[in-house]
Amino acid sequence: MTATITEPSFRESVDLMVDRAMCVLGLDEGTATAIKSCNAVLQVKFPVKIRGKIEVFTGWRATHSTHRLPSKGGIRYAPYADQDEVEALASLMTYKCALVDVPFGGSKGALLIDPTQYERDELEMITRRFAHELIRKGFLSPSTNVPAPDIGTGQREMAWIADTYKHLHPEDINYIACVTGKPLFHGGIRGRVEATGRGVQYVAQEFFRHPEDVKSANMQGSLQGKTCVIQGLGNVGYHAAKFLSEEDGVIITAVIERDGALINDNGINIEDLYQHIIAHGSINNFPGATLEENGIAVLEKPCDILIPAALERQITMENADRIQAKLIIEAANGPITYGADEILNKKGIVIIPDAFANAGGVTVSYFEWIRNISHIRLGRMQRRHEETHGLQVASMLEELTGNKISDSLRKAVAHGADELDLVRSGLDDTMRSAYQQIRENLLKNEKITDFRTASYATSIEKIARSYIDVGIY
Ligand code: NAD
């Protein structure tokens, strides 16, 4: 954490950013307080016997809002986790879900642990015990509170959680929907692992579809050839960097990791680097770039796009003035503090905020949850029907025109959408529609001058409407 002590905490930082939007909307104080308040926070301490010794672990699950159910949000395993962070992340989930029209409340969980210090079997015991606590205390079920992966957790942990819930609730036909981000053969959905990074790519693509927005960030043209610095090559960062470089022609000029940064102005091959990290556990000695030991300083490297995809509070009042990117896409949650946000706005740097930029994960989690409660793979009923229909259309065109359709066109027309096609299409549509709603708010309200305030305003309007329509009970 690089923030100086004079800056507000992560939770206060989120609240201050939200206040800015609430002020623009002129929301009454009661509704504003109701929206901002965290509904419930559970702290658990539980013992697990590790290598013959009893260790006591501390975990949290915060339910920020329940205006829609279930409440949704990841579980992270980190040695620096605390309640303030969990509450901040839970509140971000509320705004995020509303923004992308995912009908869930906001929640988040964390376990204070350094997962690298434990063996697989030990992590399984700890995870099952943590899940047990959350389930028994009403903070985990398919209908009320559904976790997903976050920092330090992945498909494996989600499978252990689902299995623990199943053992405690064998009568619940929807048990598999108690958690998302599961492995494919345990109720997961195709496209979930890469969903957040894919969502970041779709956000960047949509931004570059609007020349006026590109101009406002002092750039022109398309994504092709734009330079990009990325911080964190974990789940989110790896996929975002891979898709942007391999599919959109973005040049990744630096990758910042926990052990330094790699720089290559001609572009770093992300797949090669990722395989290097898997093989060696570090970015050190990667042949395709130069190592800079002071990783965080590389956030200040001039580039078109900066993507923080690691931790919160990386751009603070201490380094904000030295940031030289034209566009920042917040793939991580809370990478910019409130004070830094104000500095960056004054500098004219365009920021696509976390509440929108990394919403791809929860969007595809929503698709997975729907798949789980409907007990059927997306596209299973339609795929072959679409294929037959496409072939009939192709034959009809041939008959009417007397011309033969090429094999590649026939194949394309007769392609029935499978689950991955549907997930990608649903995610792309979600990110584009949300961008357009945010943009509309930015253009129509002269008091709104940045994407973050426009995003929160868009989201808060929807949440407030649900409170006003239903009333407070
Ligand atoms: P992850 O654990 O897979 O990856 C985090 C990466 O950051 C790792 O490669 C780690 O080595 C690196 N890192 C750690 N400390 C660093 C430092 N000081 N400097 C540079 N790099 C550092 O986690 P993730 O799932 O990719 O999550 C990253 C961010 O995205 C978090 O803020 C998380 O809340 C957010 N997010 C994740 C998802 C998701 O679906 N996984 C969804 C929405 C938001």
Side-chain angles (χ1 to χ4, degrees):
M1 307 292 105
T2 57
T4 59
I5 42 167
T6 52
E7 293 202 55
S9 73
F10 184 13
R11 186 178 50 77
E12 289 163 345
S13 212
V14 174
D15 279 352
L16 284 165
M17 290 170 181
V18 168
D19 282 343
R20 220 163 41 192
M22 285 179 165
C23 190
V24 167
L25 291 174
L27 211 62
D28 72 274
E29 210 184 315
T31 310
T33 311
I35 291 174
K36 279 197 302 178
S37 303
C38 185
N39 177 251
V41 193
L42 172 74
Q43 185 193 64
V44 292
K45 284 182 187 282
F46 56 89
V48 182
K49 205 166 188 180
I50 307 276
R51 294 165 224 170
K53 274 192 175 162
I54 291 174
E55 274 190 54
V56 177
F57 293 89
T58 305
W60 298 268
R61 185 87 185 151
T63 304
H64 180 260
S65 58
T66 56
H67 63 295
R68 299 264 190 274
L69 284 172
S71 301
K72 192 84 187 74
I75 288 188
R76 66 170 52 172
Y77 285 2
Y80 51 80
D82 63 30
Q83 187 170 327
D84 183 90
E85 178 191 82
V86 173
E87 285 188 35
L89 291 163
S91 72
L92 272 176
M93 286 306 298
T94 296
Y95 305 117
K96 197 177 295 186
C97 290
L99 203 47
V100 290
D101 291 324
V102 165
F104 292 152
S107 184
K108 200 81 181 190
L111 190 63
L112 187 61
I113 185 175
D114 179 355
T116 61
Q117 301 304 307
Y118 296 88
E119 302 293 333
R120 182 203 172 280
D121 290 354
E122 294 166 348
L123 280 172
E124 179 175 349
M125 257 194 308
I126 298 163
T127 302
R128 285 183 179 276
R129 188 70 171 73
F130 185 31
H132 194 105
E133 293 288 332
L134 298 180
I135 296 160
R136 281 286 183 227
K137 295 185 167 88
F139 277 74
L140 199 160
S141 86
S143 54
T144 58
N145 198 318
V146 179
D150 196 75
I151 291 178
T153 59
Q155 292 189 336
R156 185 182 67 172
E157 287 73 17
M158 301 306 115
W160 291 332
I161 293 173
D163 192 59
T164 307
Y165 183 86
K166 182 180 150 196
H167 280 99
L168 287 169
H169 293 282
E171 76 295 343
D172 188 344
I173 193 175
N174 291 321
Y175 74 87
I176 204 80
C178 75
V179 69
T180 58
K182 300 178 292 289
L184 212 50
F185 296 106
H186 293 280
I189 195 167
R190 285 162 187 81
R192 173 61 183 91
V193 175
E194 69 266 32
T196 310
R198 182 66 79 183
V200 170
Q201 178 198 25
Y202 289 157
V203 168
Q205 288 177 347
E206 185 60 16
F207 180 85
F208 278 88
R209 279 190 197 104
H210 298 271
E212 318 86 75
D213 298 357
V214 178
K215 202 171 157 207
S216 74
N218 290 315
M219 290 185 282
Q220 54 182 2
S222 68
L223 272 170
Q224 179 73 38
K226 294 289 180 289
T227 56
C228 173
V229 170
I230 189 145
Q231 185 193 34
L233 210 67
N235 177 313
V236 179
Y238 160 65
H239 287 108
K242 180 179 166 72
F243 299 145
L244 284 168
S245 58
E246 291 179 3
E247 298 173 15
D248 297 301
V250 170
I251 304 164
I252 310 292
T253 53
V255 172
I256 308 167
E257 256 294 330
R258 60 174 96 215
D259 39 5
L262 289 172
I263 300 174
N264 181 347
D265 285 338
N266 295 320
I268 296 171
N269 184 306
I270 293 300
E271 192 52 45
D272 287 353
L273 174 57
Y274 189 66
Q275 294 308 329
H276 177 90
I277 295 174
I278 290 175
H280 303 95
S282 157
I283 59 170
N284 288 334
N285 302 317
F286 177 65
T290 312
L291 182 70
E292 161 61 58
E293 280 180 10
N294 185 6
I296 194 146
V298 178
L299 287 173
E300 298 160 25
K301 182 176 162 59
C303 62
D304 294 313
I305 308 166
L306 172 62
I307 305 184
L311 306 170
E312 50 265 17
R313 300 167 78 73
Q314 295 300 295
I315 304 177
T316 65
M317 290 174 79
E318 195 276 315
N319 61 355
D321 211 27
R322 299 193 297 273
I323 300 294
Q324 299 183 64
K326 295 170 182 158
L327 169 69
I328 301 178
I329 305 180
E330 291 186 320
N333 283 308
I336 300 175
T337 63
Y338 177 74
D341 190 58
E342 302 239 295
I343 295 171
L344 296 169
N345 283 337
K346 281 200 192 98
K347 277 168 68 93
I349 297 175
V350 175
I351 303 167
I352 310 284
D354 45 8
F356 167 53
N358 67 36
V362 75
T363 302
V364 177
S365 275
Y366 170 47
F367 300 156
E368 180 177 331
W369 184 80
I370 290 172
R371 179 200 210 268
N372 292 156
I373 59 167
S374 55
H375 300 264
I376 189 164
R377 185 184 74 235
L378 302 185
R380 182 168 172 179
M381 304 290 277
Q382 310 92 311
R383 188 172 172 201
R384 298 298 165 199
H385 175 74
E386 281 172 12
E387 190 180 287
T388 310
H389 183 68
L391 285 171
Q392 284 166 344
V393 170
S395 304
M396 186 185 76
L397 283 172
E398 280 182 344
E399 212 173 293
L400 286 174
T401 61
N403 292 326
K404 189 121 183 65
I405 288 175
S406 68
D407 283 350
S408 59
L409 189 58
R410 176 182 292 275
K411 209 170 153 195
V413 170
H415 177 75
D418 62 19
E419 187 169 76
L420 189 57
D421 294 322
L422 293 171
V423 164
R424 285 195 184 151
S425 145
L427 177 59
D428 194 8
D429 181 60
T430 301
M431 300 315 276
R432 283 199 212 193
S433 312
Y435 185 96
Q436 283 153 24
Q437 286 173 36
I438 295 165
R439 190 167 187 275
E440 208 180 299
N441 246 332
L442 187 60
L443 294 179
K444 81 169 185 220
N445 192 332
E446 58 185 24
K447 288 192 206 150
I448 301 180
T449 54
D450 62 286
F451 272 90
R452 192 186 308 277
T453 309
S455 299
Y456 279 130
T458 308
S459 164
I460 290 161
E461 272 175 343
K462 294 184 197 177
I463 302 166
R465 208 179 308 145
S466 91
Y467 276 106
I468 290 160
D469 288 350
V470 180
I472 307 256
Y473 167 67

